[in-house]
PDB file of all heavy atoms in Angstrom:
ATOM      1  N   ALA A 278       0.287   4.055  15.120  1.00  0.00           N
ATOM      2  CA  ALA A 278      -0.356   2.996  14.345  1.00  0.00           C
ATOM      3  C   ALA A 278       0.681   2.077  13.710  1.00  0.00           C
ATOM      4  O   ALA A 278       0.502   0.851  13.663  1.00  0.00           O
ATOM      5  CB  ALA A 278      -1.243   3.617  13.274  1.00  0.00           C
ATOM      6  N   GLN A 279       1.773   2.649  13.224  1.00  0.00           N
ATOM      7  CA  GLN A 279       2.814   1.818  12.617  1.00  0.00           C
ATOM      8  C   GLN A 279       3.440   0.875  13.625  1.00  0.00           C
ATOM      9  O   GLN A 279       3.653  -0.306  13.335  1.00  0.00           O
ATOM     10  CB  GLN A 279       3.899   2.717  12.006  1.00  0.00           C
ATOM     11  CG  GLN A 279       3.438   3.450  10.760  1.00  0.00           C
ATOM     12  CD  GLN A 279       4.545   4.325  10.211  1.00  0.00           C
ATOM     13  OE1 GLN A 279       5.391   3.876   9.464  1.00  0.00           O
ATOM     14  NE2 GLN A 279       4.542   5.582  10.596  1.00  0.00           N
ATOM     15  N   PHE A 280       3.726   1.377  14.824  1.00  0.00           N
ATOM     16  CA  PHE A 280       4.355   0.518  15.826  1.00  0.00           C
ATOM     17  C   PHE A 280       3.380  -0.525  16.363  1.00  0.00           C
ATOM     18  O   PHE A 280       3.783  -1.627  16.729  1.00  0.00           O
ATOM     19  CB  PHE A 280       4.903   1.368  16.970  1.00  0.00           C
ATOM     20  CG  PHE A 280       6.231   1.989  16.667  1.00  0.00           C
ATOM     21  CD1 PHE A 280       6.317   3.316  16.294  1.00  0.00           C
ATOM     22  CD2 PHE A 280       7.391   1.247  16.732  1.00  0.00           C
ATOM     23  CE1 PHE A 280       7.540   3.902  16.002  1.00  0.00           C
ATOM     24  CE2 PHE A 280       8.626   1.816  16.434  1.00  0.00           C
ATOM     25  CZ  PHE A 280       8.696   3.142  16.069  1.00  0.00           C
ATOM     26  N   LEU A 281       2.074  -0.198  16.391  1.00  0.00           N
ATOM     27  CA  LEU A 281       1.097  -1.151  16.900  1.00  0.00           C
ATOM     28  C   LEU A 281       0.823  -2.269  15.903  1.00  0.00           C
ATOM     29  O   LEU A 281       0.691  -3.441  16.280  1.00  0.00           O
ATOM     30  CB  LEU A 281      -0.210  -0.433  17.246  1.00  0.00           C
ATOM     31  CG  LEU A 281      -0.192   0.450  18.497  1.00  0.00           C
ATOM     32  CD1 LEU A 281      -1.533   1.143  18.673  1.00  0.00           C
ATOM     33  CD2 LEU A 281       0.145  -0.370  19.735  1.00  0.00           C
ATOM     34  N   PHE A 282       0.746  -1.935  14.635  1.00  0.00           N
ATOM     35  CA  PHE A 282       0.380  -2.928  13.624  1.00  0.00           C
ATOM     36  C   PHE A 282       1.610  -3.541  12.952  1.00  0.00           C
ATOM     37  O   PHE A 282       1.761  -4.759  12.921  1.00  0.00           O
ATOM     38  CB  PHE A 282      -0.545  -2.296  12.585  1.00  0.00           C
ATOM     39  CG  PHE A 282      -1.875  -1.862  13.155  1.00  0.00           C
ATOM     40  CD1 PHE A 282      -2.134  -0.543  13.446  1.00  0.00           C
ATOM     41  CD2 PHE A 282      -2.854  -2.810  13.436  1.00  0.00           C
ATOM     42  CE1 PHE A 282      -3.344  -0.142  13.973  1.00  0.00           C
ATOM     43  CE2 PHE A 282      -4.067  -2.432  13.972  1.00  0.00           C
ATOM     44  CZ  PHE A 282      -4.326  -1.092  14.251  1.00  0.00           C
ATOM     45  N   ALA A 283       2.491  -2.696  12.414  1.00  0.00           N
ATOM     46  CA  ALA A 283       3.695  -3.224  11.767  1.00  0.00           C
ATOM     47  C   ALA A 283       4.670  -3.781  12.797  1.00  0.00           C
ATOM     48  O   ALA A 283       5.394  -4.730  12.522  1.00  0.00           O
ATOM     49  CB  ALA A 283       4.369  -2.145  10.937  1.00  0.00           C
ATOM     50  N   GLY A 284       4.697  -3.179  13.983  1.00  0.00           N
ATOM     51  CA  GLY A 284       5.633  -3.609  15.002  1.00  0.00           C
ATOM     52  C   GLY A 284       5.399  -5.043  15.478  1.00  0.00           C
ATOM     53  O   GLY A 284       6.312  -5.693  15.992  1.00  0.00           O
ATOM     54  N   ARG A 285       4.179  -5.546  15.324  1.00  0.00           N
ATOM     55  CA  ARG A 285       3.891  -6.920  15.750  1.00  0.00           C
ATOM     56  C   ARG A 285       4.633  -7.952  14.909  1.00  0.00           C
ATOM     57  O   ARG A 285       4.849  -9.079  15.353  1.00  0.00           O
ATOM     58  CB  ARG A 285       2.387  -7.171  15.660  1.00  0.00           C
ATOM     59  CG  ARG A 285       1.542  -6.341  16.623  1.00  0.00           C
ATOM     60  CD  ARG A 285       0.054  -6.598  16.406  1.00  0.00           C
ATOM     61  NE  ARG A 285      -0.755  -5.800  17.315  1.00  0.00           N
ATOM     62  CZ  ARG A 285      -2.086  -5.802  17.320  1.00  0.00           C
ATOM     63  NH1 ARG A 285      -2.723  -6.560  16.453  1.00  0.00           N
ATOM     64  NH2 ARG A 285      -2.756  -5.048  18.168  1.00  0.00           N
ATOM     65  N   LYS A 286       4.973  -7.567  13.669  1.00  0.00           N
ATOM     66  CA  LYS A 286       5.644  -8.498  12.778  1.00  0.00           C
ATOM     67  C   LYS A 286       7.158  -8.301  12.754  1.00  0.00           C
ATOM     68  O   LYS A 286       7.840  -8.903  11.931  1.00  0.00           O
ATOM     69  CB  LYS A 286       5.077  -8.349  11.369  1.00  0.00           C
ATOM     70  CG  LYS A 286       3.593  -8.653  11.275  1.00  0.00           C
ATOM     71  CD  LYS A 286       3.088  -8.518   9.830  1.00  0.00           C
ATOM     72  CE  LYS A 286       1.597  -8.853   9.760  1.00  0.00           C
ATOM     73  NZ  LYS A 286       1.098  -8.726   8.362  1.00  0.00           N
ATOM     74  N   VAL A 287       7.635  -7.450  13.639  1.00  0.00           N
ATOM     75  CA  VAL A 287       9.068  -7.157  13.665  1.00  0.00           C
ATOM     76  C   VAL A 287       9.747  -8.060  14.681  1.00  0.00           C
ATOM     77  O   VAL A 287       9.321  -8.132  15.840  1.00  0.00           O
ATOM     78  CB  VAL A 287       9.322  -5.670  14.011  1.00  0.00           C
ATOM     79  CG1 VAL A 287      10.814  -5.408  14.175  1.00  0.00           C
ATOM     80  CG2 VAL A 287       8.742  -4.786  12.918  1.00  0.00           C
ATOM     81  N   HIS A 288      10.788  -8.739  14.244  1.00  0.00           N
ATOM     82  CA  HIS A 288      11.573  -9.611  15.133  1.00  0.00           C
ATOM     83  C   HIS A 288      13.036  -9.188  15.026  1.00  0.00           C
ATOM     84  O   HIS A 288      13.591  -9.108  13.920  1.00  0.00           O
ATOM     85  CB  HIS A 288      11.415 -11.082  14.728  1.00  0.00           C
ATOM     86  CG  HIS A 288       9.996 -11.554  14.716  1.00  0.00           C
ATOM     87  ND1 HIS A 288       9.311 -11.864  15.862  1.00  0.00           N
ATOM     88  CD2 HIS A 288       9.126 -11.724  13.689  1.00  0.00           C
ATOM     89  CE1 HIS A 288       8.084 -12.243  15.556  1.00  0.00           C
ATOM     90  NE2 HIS A 288       7.941 -12.172  14.236  1.00  0.00           N
ATOM     91  N   TYR A 289      13.626  -8.886  16.154  1.00  0.00           N
ATOM     92  CA  TYR A 289      15.008  -8.399  16.165  1.00  0.00           C
ATOM     93  C   TYR A 289      16.025  -9.489  16.473  1.00  0.00           C
ATOM     94  O   TYR A 289      17.200  -9.223  16.523  1.00  0.00           O
ATOM     95  CB  TYR A 289      15.149  -7.272  17.200  1.00  0.00           C
ATOM     96  CG  TYR A 289      14.343  -6.046  16.836  1.00  0.00           C
ATOM     97  CD1 TYR A 289      13.079  -5.839  17.366  1.00  0.00           C
ATOM     98  CD2 TYR A 289      14.851  -5.100  15.948  1.00  0.00           C
ATOM     99  CE1 TYR A 289      12.350  -4.715  17.027  1.00  0.00           C
ATOM    100  CE2 TYR A 289      14.134  -3.978  15.604  1.00  0.00           C
ATOM    101  CZ  TYR A 289      12.882  -3.798  16.164  1.00  0.00           C
ATOM    102  OH  TYR A 289      12.152  -2.672  15.814  1.00  0.00           O
ATOM    103  N   GLN A 290      15.564 -10.677  16.695  1.00  0.00           N
ATOM    104  CA  GLN A 290      16.482 -11.783  16.997  1.00  0.00           C
ATOM    105  C   GLN A 290      16.387 -12.834  15.895  1.00  0.00           C
ATOM    106  O   GLN A 290      15.317 -13.097  15.396  1.00  0.00           O
ATOM    107  CB  GLN A 290      16.146 -12.418  18.349  1.00  0.00           C
ATOM    108  CG  GLN A 290      16.316 -11.437  19.511  1.00  0.00           C
ATOM    109  CD  GLN A 290      17.736 -11.016  19.761  1.00  0.00           C
ATOM    110  OE1 GLN A 290      18.672 -11.727  19.373  1.00  0.00           O
ATOM    111  NE2 GLN A 290      17.934  -9.869  20.363  1.00  0.00           N
TER     112      GLN A 290
END
Side-chain angles (χ1 to χ4, degrees):
Q279 289 180 85
F280 279 101
L281 288 177
F282 295 102
R285 295 177 180 178
K286 299 181 179 180
V287 174
H288 303 283
Y289 295 96
Q290 297 293 337

